[in-house]
Amino acid sequence: MVAAAASAVAPDASRERSRRRARRRYVRSALLFLSPWIVGFLVFTAWPLIYSAYLSFTDYDVINDPEFVGTANYTRLFEDPKIALALGNTVIFTLLQVPLYVLVSLALALLLDRAGRSAGFFRTVFFLPKMTPPVAVGVLFLLLFNGQSGLINTVLGWFGIDGPAWTTDPAWVKPGLVLMSLWTVGASIIILLAALQSVPIELYESARIDGAGFWRQSLSVTLPMISPALFFIVVVNTIGGLQTFDEAYTAFFGSGNTTYSNDAALFYVIYLFQQAFEFLNMGYASAMAWVLFAVIMAITAVQLAVSRKLVYYEAEDPR
Amino acid sequence: MTQSLPDRTVPVALAPAAGAALSPAADEVRPRQNRPSRRRRVEQGFVLAALVVFAVIFAYPFVWLVSASFKPRGEVFDNKLIPDTFTVENYVRVWQEAPLALWLLNTLIVTVLAAVTVTISSAMVAWGFAYFRFRGRGVLFGLVLASMMLPGAVTMIPTFLIWNALGQIGTLTPMWAQNLFASAFYVFLIRQFMLGLPRELFDAARVDGASQWGLFWRIVLPLSKPAIAVTLVFEVQAVWTDLMRALIYLRDASTFTIPRGLKSLVDSFGFGGEWHWEIIITASVIATVPMILIFFLGQRQIIRGVGAGALKG
């Protein structure tokens, strides 16, 4: 009786065991594929996050050990006039840049979508500036926007407009940098164009049958269908705008710079970089980084909340 | 066999109909009336005229930069496209003033290492998330998405301290080695693409005895070419133009990459005293041309991959 029961169970148990072994092997393969990211996340994301949070409560100059100072770095943030200046510059720049950037890339993508055969050529032309190193873009900014002899003011002169001193007048430095940044909309154009071209043609056809004209179609078909791409560009550009560094740093900062008044181009990350790597105030710079993190999180959260109302997503793929 | 697959499992870029709309040649494939109406022709004319105007605006700074690099010192600011006096002296001088060949070589080494390592590692991780089912997958992928949002400024200082502890400051290693561990953005991008590949094919390969690694290396990677190409081109662009990392990690002119070298020229031939624009301009041209070439080689793939993977929901 007992023996019979045992022999009835045995094949089941061994099948169960081999199934469990197969499952373990499967999970092990999965982990193997994921391992680069897991290691990278622990070493280059998780640990830096924790350590940076710790550093933000210390005085640290790399040479001596970190010295705990409590919340001194954070209270100092409020008293440092350059923080308010840099934060203000950065926010103004981003507020000017993002809407213009999205409008220009959308306009160009719409044109390209209707361009027919020649679209490929124009797309290449629009993408080229993106391939120019930001350092060179910074150089170009100084040249083209030069108050006296720069091309921009020369062209404005043809129309009888006396162009401002873009590179030296504090009021015009940021608008100038914004205009220059519009030159590198290439990547956004490509993303929007891909979105435009994946809108099913049948949608336009049925809209036409329903009597929708060009504007009605644009509002009811095109915009909702490309809204995820638009939203993506807005979020990525906002985050990028708040972290602006390369072009402004090239044009206005660096060793031996005495030529320009650079307060107007002191963006938050430039000041952070100076604190960390020029003045070696690693603790203070870490506190600055956390404030930037909080600002970016808050803005992204607001954008996400707004997007729930405005962005249309097709029914999720069941997988 | 292929016909019996449900439609949605056919990857966007491989399905003829949907893929055509995303490919660079999409414009030619779109259905056109045999004889365009008058209204359509007027619209085409308007679109083309607008594009030409924009194209001139976009190309002009670049053409102007190239032309200025062939002008003698005093004429840089004359805003003419054809130099009054054509000279290659700037190129000779730049070559004497700065080790540009060395900087280009450094940049090339860093760029190739960074792009290859980040592509392979990110594709591996993307496959890990796209194919395998295991507990905690959602949480882990949530972490990937969250880390995409993390501003670089927060991890910048501790990362510097890691490389400092490893004695790598002043070497090229910090410029690329982090890429061995994949990058969240590319993991996301490649995974999106892989989700569109036919799962039945992979299950069949497994039944036929392919190992997990063999399946990934011999079947998944080749099928993911568009996404791989986008990753390569994006990363090449990012590394080739990376200034901040180079400012942080590179100390000696012999290890400079092109952006860092260019910045040092701006400092010494600009902020350091009287602006020698001709040097800075010529070096900028030399720094830009290789990237343009790479883009021309890779652009078909970029467009296709971006369309196929990045922005579906």
Side-chain angles (χ1 to χ4, degrees):
Chain A
M1 187 62 192
V2 174
S7 73
V9 167
D12 245 25
S14 82
R15 209 174 307 147
E16 175 64 24
R17 218 175 311 133
S18 80
R19 203 178 305 143
R20 228 180 300 153
R21 209 175 310 137
R23 177 76 201 157
R24 238 192 332 251
R25 215 164 5 176
Y26 178 83
V27 171
R28 209 176 312 137
S29 320
L31 285 177
L32 213 68
F33 278 104
L34 295 181
S35 59
W37 179 75
I38 294 174
V39 172
F41 181 80
L42 292 176
V43 177
F44 290 107
T45 303
W47 185 81
L49 265 179
I50 296 165
Y51 199 66
S52 152
Y54 161 71
L55 279 183
S56 74
F57 295 103
T58 67
D59 240 353
Y60 184 47
D61 60 0
V62 187
I63 299 130
N64 304 297
D65 285 340
E67 184 193 331
F68 191 79
V69 294
T71 57
N73 287 326
Y74 289 94
T75 46
R76 190 177 145 199
L77 279 166
F78 287 98
E79 287 149 18
D80 185 344
K82 283 205 154 183
I83 291 284
L85 175 75
L87 208 52
N89 283 342
T90 309
V91 169
I92 292 171
F93 175 83
T94 309
L95 282 177
L96 285 173
Q97 198 253 1
V98 173
L100 280 172
Y101 200 89
V102 173
L103 273 179
V104 169
S105 48
L106 181 61
L108 289 174
L110 282 170
L111 283 174
L112 282 178
D113 190 39
R114 299 176 159 268
R117 276 162 201 280
S118 52
F121 167 77
F122 287 112
R123 197 185 49 215
T124 307
V125 172
F126 295 146
F127 198 81
L128 284 185
K130 190 75 200 158
M131 295 282 118
T132 311
V135 187
V137 178
V139 168
L140 266 175
F141 170 76
L142 290 179
L143 288 162
L144 299 177
F145 285 81
N146 183 291
Q148 287 102 49
S149 41
L151 179 73
I152 304 286
N153 280 359
T154 307
V155 173
L156 287 177
W158 297 343
F159 300 98
I161 301 168
D162 202 8
W166 301 91
T167 56
T168 48
D169 182 344
W172 287 98
V173 162
K174 278 182 286 293
L177 284 170
V178 167
L179 284 180
M180 192 69 211
S181 82
L182 295 182
W183 192 50
T184 54
V185 293
S188 303
I189 294 177
I190 288 179
I191 290 171
L192 284 176
L193 190 58
L196 283 171
Q197 295 187 341
S198 57
V199 177
I201 293 173
E202 305 86 70
L203 284 183
Y204 290 110
E205 279 161 6
S206 56
R208 243 193 317 269
I209 291 165
D210 291 345
F214 170 75
W215 290 110
R216 188 74 231 171
Q217 284 177 37
S218 304
L219 276 179
S220 305
V221 178
T222 314
L223 267 184
M225 290 305 284
I226 66 166
S227 57
L230 272 177
F231 176 63
F232 176 81
I233 289 171
V234 168
V235 170
V236 168
N237 258 294
T238 309
I239 294 176
L242 293 172
Q243 299 187 75
T244 299
F245 179 85
D246 288 357
E247 289 89 343
Y249 186 82
T250 301
F252 294 100
F253 299 88
S255 47
N257 174 15
T258 49
T259 323
Y260 294 96
S261 70
N262 45 27
D263 270 4
L266 184 73
F267 292 117
Y268 195 83
V269 173
I270 292 180
Y271 188 47
L272 197 163
F273 175 86
Q274 290 180 329
Q275 284 293 346
F277 298 103
E278 288 173 17
F279 316 141
L280 293 181
N281 289 327
M282 296 274 178
Y284 189 50
S286 298
M288 283 186 69
W290 276 90
V291 169
L292 178 69
F293 190 15
V295 170
I296 288 179
M297 291 300 268
I299 292 178
T300 309
V302 169
Q303 287 176 336
L304 273 171
V306 173
S307 82
R308 298 245 154 77
K309 293 207 160 65
L310 297 180
V311 177
Y312 168 80
Y313 289 105
E314 286 172 79
E316 275 286 303
D317 194 298
R319 284 161 308 149
Chain B
M1 166 66 195
T2 323
Q3 286 145 325
S4 71
L5 293 176
D7 264 344
R8 63 176 172 77
T9 59
V10 179
V12 179
L14 298 179
L22 298 172
S23 78
D27 330 298
E28 286 113 284
V29 181
R30 281 212 157 174
R32 277 190 312 269
Q33 286 114 333
N34 288 340
R35 187 178 295 227
S37 66
R38 170 188 277 272
R39 198 179 150 196
R40 173 96 183 116
R41 264 179 313 187
V42 171
E43 189 204 282
Q44 274 292 293
F46 173 78
V47 165
L48 276 183
L51 280 172
V52 168
V53 170
F54 278 113
V56 169
I57 295 173
F58 272 72
Y60 199 94
F62 190 77
V63 176
W64 180 84
L65 194 71
V66 173
S67 122
S69 71
F70 290 106
K71 290 174 187 170
R73 176 152 196 229
E75 290 167 29
V76 165
F77 270 109
D78 66 7
N79 288 329
K80 284 178 190 155
L81 273 196
I82 313 221
D84 284 341
T85 330
F86 183 90
T87 171
V88 291
E89 192 199 333
N90 297 332
Y91 284 88
V92 178
R93 265 202 72 199
V94 154
W95 224 261
Q96 288 164 348
E97 294 287 349
L100 270 167
L102 185 60
W103 291 350
L104 280 169
L105 182 68
N106 286 338
T107 319
L108 190 70
I109 293 171
V110 167
T111 307
V112 168
L113 286 173
V116 170
T117 52
V118 89
T119 305
I120 294 177
S121 58
S122 301
M124 277 176 66
V125 178
W127 181 240
F129 280 118
Y131 180 72
F132 294 92
R133 312 277 163 88
F134 52 91
R135 220 182 314 150
R137 183 173 75 146
V139 176
L140 279 184
F141 194 67
L143 280 177
V144 172
L145 293 182
S147 63
M148 270 167 64
M149 291 303 207
L150 187 68
V154 181
T155 51
M156 183 170 83
I157 292 168
T159 305
F160 167 82
L161 296 174
I162 293 176
W163 293 118
N164 190 32
L166 294 173
Q168 296 299 317
I169 306 300
T171 75
L172 291 176
T173 316
M175 300 295 292
W176 65 272
Q178 228 171 301
N179 279 359
L180 282 167
F181 306 105
S183 133
F185 177 71
Y186 300 131
V187 168
F188 176 72
L189 186 127
I190 302 172
R191 172 186 166 271
Q192 286 294 99
F193 183 86
M194 285 174 172
L195 284 179
L197 297 172
R199 199 178 172 93
E200 288 80 355
L201 178 66
F202 306 131
D203 293 337
R206 286 288 292 154
V207 170
D208 288 347
S211 70
Q212 293 287 8
W213 182 254
L215 169 67
F216 170 72
W217 195 252
R218 277 198 299 274
I219 298 174
V220 177
L221 268 192
L223 281 180
S224 306
K225 237 168 71 186
I228 299 291
V230 181
T231 306
L232 279 173
V233 178
F234 274 24
E235 187 61 14
V236 164
Q237 192 266 337
V239 177
W240 190 275
T241 59
D242 184 358
L243 173 65
M244 198 199 268
R245 211 187 284 242
L247 283 170
I248 294 174
Y249 292 109
L250 304 180
R251 295 292 150 90
D252 189 86
S254 68
T255 59
F256 281 0
T257 52
I258 274 289
R260 181 69 187 87
L262 209 51
K263 178 59 182 148
S264 77
L265 288 180
V266 174
D267 287 347
S268 49
F269 288 95
F271 296 124
E274 211 181 328
W275 285 79
H276 276 268
W277 282 111
E278 74 284 5
I279 300 285
I280 297 169
I281 288 169
T282 308
S284 300
V285 172
I286 296 172
T288 308
V289 168
M291 277 316 304
I292 306 252
L293 290 178
I294 287 173
F295 177 68
F296 265 108
L297 294 177
Q299 69 150 331
R300 289 191 133 250
Q301 298 285 353
I302 310 177
I303 314 295
R304 189 176 322 183
V306 171
L311 292 156
K312 287 274 167 169

